[in-house]
Amino acid sequence: MFSNSMADPRRQNKILRYKPPSTDTNPTLEDPTPDYMNLLGMIFSMCGLMLKLKWCAWIAVYCSFISFANSRSSEDTKQMMSSFMLSISAVVMSYLQNPQPMSPPW
Amino acid sequence: MALNDSVSLVSLFCVPCPSLSRPNFCAPQMRAQLLLPFMLLLLASPMTWGRYDDFDDGEDLAEFDDNDFAEFEDLSEDAGMEPEATASPRVAAAPASDQDDDDDEAVVEIEDAQDDFEDTETPDEDIKYDTEEFEGFEKSSPSFKDPINIITVPSHLQNSWESYYMEILMVTGLLAYIMNYIIGKNKNHRLAQAWFSSHRELLESNFALVGDDGTSKEAVSTGKLNQENEHIYNLWCSGRVCCEGMLIQLKFLKRQDLLNVLARMMRPVCDQVQIKVTLNDEDMDTFVFAVGSRKAMARLQKEMQDLSEFCSDKPKSGAKYSLPEFMAILSEMGEVTDGMMDSKMVHYLINHADKIESIHFSDQFSGPKLMQEEGQPLKLPETKKTLLFTFNVPGMGNTSPKDMDALLPLMNMVIYSIDKVKKFRLNREVSGVSSTHYCAVGIMNEEDPERQRRLEVSLVCARVFWEECTEQS
């Protein structure tokens, strides 16, 4: 028993609580993909709405999906949902204004 | 001749009468009734026969035509001219035929009739395009020189789904992305659970607290991983001798992102397990040491603040310790290398060389180099005594949950390293280097940038001098 207590490395009194690493000290460790994709999605949505370009609206939908897939769990879901809804509305509005099918760029 | 024929017809009628079996047929009243229409017929036939006689003469025909078609003077002039021309050969032919076949029936000459039809072709054109009758007709006639424009019906009016093929492609792509997201997320989750289930026993026997998210009031083991992302899982272990705590990060590939999956097809990457052990001040002596693959060592030497500050520029070969050729060592001094590379450690390194990316022991760990502006004093980054381990999961991306068991010996190596670093103490004879080590810390604390640079230069000279001395000894 004495050997067991000596061998046991666990110490209850040495417990430290987990502290999430702050991003201010190590900004390079953060993945910037979800933020970039969010911004791109918003830009493409606005282009699709203003310029009535269907392909812009579709790319915006893709950007919002990619941003969602790469997002951190701690991120606010409201921003994700808002960019997603904006891209969907861009697609719907561009087809309501012009029901013709999208022509390929080539 | 006609009268003789009619008489012969009557006689023929009358003769066979008595031969008939019916006597009533031969009654005088009946005879008179039948005779009457026959008489009429006989009277009419000479007149018709006479008509044909009239047509036989070519001269009479021309005069007859002129009389009937007197209204169409133009046509009759043309028609009259040619029939007159043909009439003369006909007249020439007719008397000849009459003379030859006087007793026989008249020969119908078809050749002349055909000539008549040929002659009438030109008058037809004149009938169509008579300028007096059809004034302004030329303008309304369609000209065949204008090109025919075929207007395409707009696609959305065609009512066909085939014209929306681009939209169908887009939706298919989105569905594929969603499917990949679900599949990738589930795979990463299964890999994380597999790793935790294989390492759980070892961790629980070494640490009092296994799994903590920092939010609960009491320090109780959650017994599960913290999911930071769909591809990053954390585990905090604490409550052990020789260390403050251990943070394990399972950095899987972004299997939930289809773009990343496609990029990995071009450049294969491994899943990684990063272990960061933070130590108390009394748990570690003052040294910096790193060992791992040559590529990783070169990269760390450039990126890490402490490795670039205290270690040599080029990683050294580990052949002295029978390490594989692709492995290299970055060390502050030889004493540290000899102290760290004992037999057990070498055994671990040789047996699991393919899974070890890098091992980094440092008492001045502050993370990657921060970009500093010129002219401003160096900001002193917070340093911590840290042991860092980066392991590659076998499989090169195509990892199965069973591969997680292969990482268990490496966790044993981590536990062994913690205990070893606690026991390792530098020889007091090498205190000169230790003093340069502390001088470097003092330089970083210096606020004046010019004075800082002068001190750095003197430190470098002192280090070079000391290394030459140790090599000679």
Side-chain angles (χ1 to χ4, degrees), chain B residues 22-88:
Chain B
R22 294 181 185 176
N24 291 333
F25 191 74
C26 294
Q29 286 179 356
M30 286 293 291
R31 207 185 296 168
Q33 285 175 358
L34 287 168
L35 268 172
L36 237 169
F38 271 105
M39 287 303 287
L40 283 170
L41 258 173
L42 284 168
L43 282 169
S45 59
M47 288 170 71
T48 56
W49 284 106
R51 274 277 177 105
Y52 274 107
D53 290 336
D54 287 337
F55 275 104
D56 287 335
D57 298 331
E59 291 173 359
D60 292 339
L61 179 64
E63 289 174 2
F64 180 78
D65 286 339
D66 284 335
N67 292 330
D68 282 348
F69 298 101
E71 297 176 2
F72 306 99
E73 290 178 6
D74 294 334
L75 297 171
S76 65
E77 284 177 2
D78 294 334
M81 289 296 289
E82 293 175 359
E84 283 176 2
T86 55
S88 50

Side-chain angles (χ1 to χ4, degrees), chain B residues 56-221:
Chain B
D56 287 335
D57 298 331
E59 291 173 359
D60 292 339
L61 179 64
E63 289 174 2
F64 180 78
D65 286 339
D66 284 335
N67 292 330
D68 282 348
F69 298 101
E71 297 176 2
F72 306 99
E73 290 178 6
D74 294 334
L75 297 171
S76 65
E77 284 177 2
D78 294 334
M81 289 296 289
E82 293 175 359
E84 283 176 2
T86 55
S88 50
R90 195 192 292 170
V91 169
S97 63
D98 287 336
Q99 288 171 4
D100 293 334
D101 303 324
D102 199 10
D103 294 334
D104 298 333
E105 292 177 355
V107 176
V108 176
E109 296 179 352
I110 303 165
E111 295 169 6
D112 296 333
Q114 282 179 347
D115 292 336
D116 282 336
F117 279 111
E118 287 173 3
D119 296 330
T120 52
E121 280 178 2
T122 44
D124 289 336
E125 291 175 9
D126 292 333
I127 292 167
K128 260 193 183 175
Y129 297 102
D130 185 15
T131 52
E132 286 183 5
E133 285 194 17
F134 299 98
E135 289 178 4
F137 183 73
E138 290 176 359
K139 290 180 186 175
S140 63
S141 65
S143 69
F144 295 95
K145 292 178 184 176
D146 295 336
I148 297 169
N149 294 325
I150 299 168
I151 299 166
T152 55
V153 178
S155 305
H156 70 282
L157 298 175
Q158 290 176 3
N159 288 333
S160 70
W161 290 104
E162 290 174 357
S163 56
Y164 286 91
Y165 67 95
M166 284 295 292
E167 282 76 11
I168 291 166
L169 267 172
M170 288 289 184
V171 172
T172 310
L174 277 176
L175 286 172
Y177 193 91
I178 292 165
M179 290 290 295
N180 180 74
Y181 174 81
I182 294 166
I183 292 167
K185 181 182 126 175
N186 286 339
K187 173 138 194 205
N188 280 347
H189 187 72
R190 275 188 281 117
L191 287 173
Q193 291 303 319
W195 180 91
F196 188 58
S197 60
S198 68
H199 290 72
R200 190 185 193 128
E201 200 179 324
L202 179 65
L203 291 170
E204 283 179 348
S205 64
N206 276 283
F207 292 92
L209 177 73
V210 175
D212 184 25
D213 55 0
T215 55
S216 59
K217 286 181 182 177
E218 291 181 7
V220 179
S221 295

